[in-house]
Amino acid sequence: MRLRVRFAETDQLGVAHHSSYVIWLEAARIEWLRERGLSYRELEESGLSLVVSSLSVEYRQSAQFDDEIDIEVTLQEVRSRQLVIGYRLRRVADGLLLATATTTHIAADRMGKAVRIPADWLAAMLASC
Amino acid sequence: MRLRVRFAETDQLGVAHHSSYVIWLEAARIEWLRERGLSYRELEESGLSLVVSSLSVEYRQSAQFDDEIDIEVTLQEVRSRQLVIGYRLRRVADGLLLATATTTHIAADRMGKAVRIPADWLAAMLASC
Amino acid sequence: MRLRVRFAETDQLGVAHHSSYVIWLEAARIEWLRERGLSYRELEESGLSLVVSSLSVEYRQSAQFDDEIDIEVTLQEVRSRQLVIGYRLRRVADGLLLATATTTHIAADRMGKAVRIPADWLAAMLASC
Amino acid sequence: MRLRVRFAETDQLGVAHHSSYVIWLEAARIEWLRERGLSYRELEESGLSLVVSSLSVEYRQSAQFDDEIDIEVTLQEVRSRQLVIGYRLRRVADGLLLATATTTHIAADRMGKAVRIPADWLAAMLASC
């Protein structure tokens, strides 16, 4: 998944604000699902969400305004009710590794109750590992 | 309503990004309602929203990181289904006028259909003009 | 310029928050300049900015998570120190007009002083009207 | 440090988006420094920053629009060039623990080079542990 750093995502240090990466991870994750035939929008409409239960980011180099960034997404761990997803963010221009990250997700229904991840979702995610 | 410019709200020009003002207007509007005994949260829970139908901002001076800002809210126009709200943003330190703004709102139900603004809301807003 | 509504850009009404549009306008404006051979990043690095001095948005229909949106940018007015840019946002799926907007920009140097817009920038923008 | 969840910080699940917490941590950190007589704005103006080098958040319960949140900040580790700061976020209404988090910071000059944290900053932070 490729994106370009928006001006609004910079801060007064002249680099992308560290909270912007968290939003990019989400966009990359949803694109990664789409490539596997999985629509996060439809999942949401069916009443399920993949809630973020934990997040960690290691920042290595700063991304700057207008930089193009590639985000590589990998499925790190799958259980019936939990996913761990890994990310590597690289600057397109020179391949420099900007950051690595991990997010953990729990499937939840509309009341916030933990539920099983649908079997067809697990299959589609695992098939493409 | 008073707030402090967050670091994340700055951009690489070293000033608050112009989109941040739009978020401050909303926070000021909700605080202004609260001071009139009106909970926007309860309005939302009852299935009504005051949807923003138009927005205009005149930027005069830049706000900077850590500046404290006062936002003066005034009701400019009230109809049965529409409100116009005005804003003046000043820097607390010296009273400098940073921006003026106007938002127009339409009351809508959960399906997005325009509805009348509840009479007790209109009364509370008008009583305190 | 085409973008996709991010999950983080929605609010609890289930639609894109009205402040998100302001960030999209900026991204569309910078892309529009790039298509004319103008790098906003280089302009910034040379010490010039196109500061937003006013902004207005008319919201007509809600954008939703994962919608693809096309933003048409037009130069509405050019003076030596000021630009007015217009925008029309449409949902790609059905061409529905979601919003129209206008931004006014003043060229400013690093001290925030108004300066003339570089002649080659004006020429490139006008050539492609 | 106490703040109120802004409407713009919610997402279509009806809760505060997980990226909002990252912005709150920063605001709490800067307020915590201010209480110790340390102005992050002045540090920045002197050419130093406390760059975020890593971030982790454990999300336990959702924060909702208009919730008031208390953020407790603690200094977890101090070295000459690195700080580790811990956070606990609680809902004011009932004291419910919403999230815990850790950020690691490196002092850097304007060129992004790692430098020592000023001795008076270390002293002020340690004095109040």
Side-chain angles (χ1 to χ4, degrees), chain D residues 10 12-13 33-34 51-52 61-62 76 78 80 92 100 106:
Chain D
T10 63
Q12 68 180 44
L13 291 178
L33 290 170
R34 194 193 318 280
V51 174
V52 179
Q61 298 288 335
S62 299
Q76 295 195 335
V78 184
S80 65
V92 172
T100 57
I106 290 171

Side-chain angles (χ1 to χ4, degrees), chain A residues 36-103:
Chain A
R36 273 139 200 86
L38 302 169
S39 161
Y40 191 64
R41 182 176 186 156
E42 288 171 18
L43 191 74
E44 283 271 325
E45 287 168 356
S46 79
L48 282 188
S49 323
L50 295 175
V51 174
V52 180
S53 59
S54 76
L55 161 74
S56 73
V57 188
E58 295 287 321
Y59 300 92
R60 291 162 181 254
Q61 299 288 335
S62 299
Q64 292 184 295
F65 164 57
D66 221 39
D67 277 351
E68 277 193 297
I69 297 179
D70 264 337
I71 306 180
E72 183 193 320
V73 178
T74 53
L75 187 60
Q76 295 194 336
E77 195 187 308
V78 184
R79 299 196 205 161
S80 65
R81 292 158 193 267
Q82 186 178 303
L83 296 176
V84 181
I85 300 180
Y87 309 83
R88 295 175 74 80
L89 289 80
R90 293 182 183 279
R91 188 160 63 196
V92 171
D94 56 6
L96 184 70
L97 183 63
L98 301 173
T100 58
T102 307
T103 55

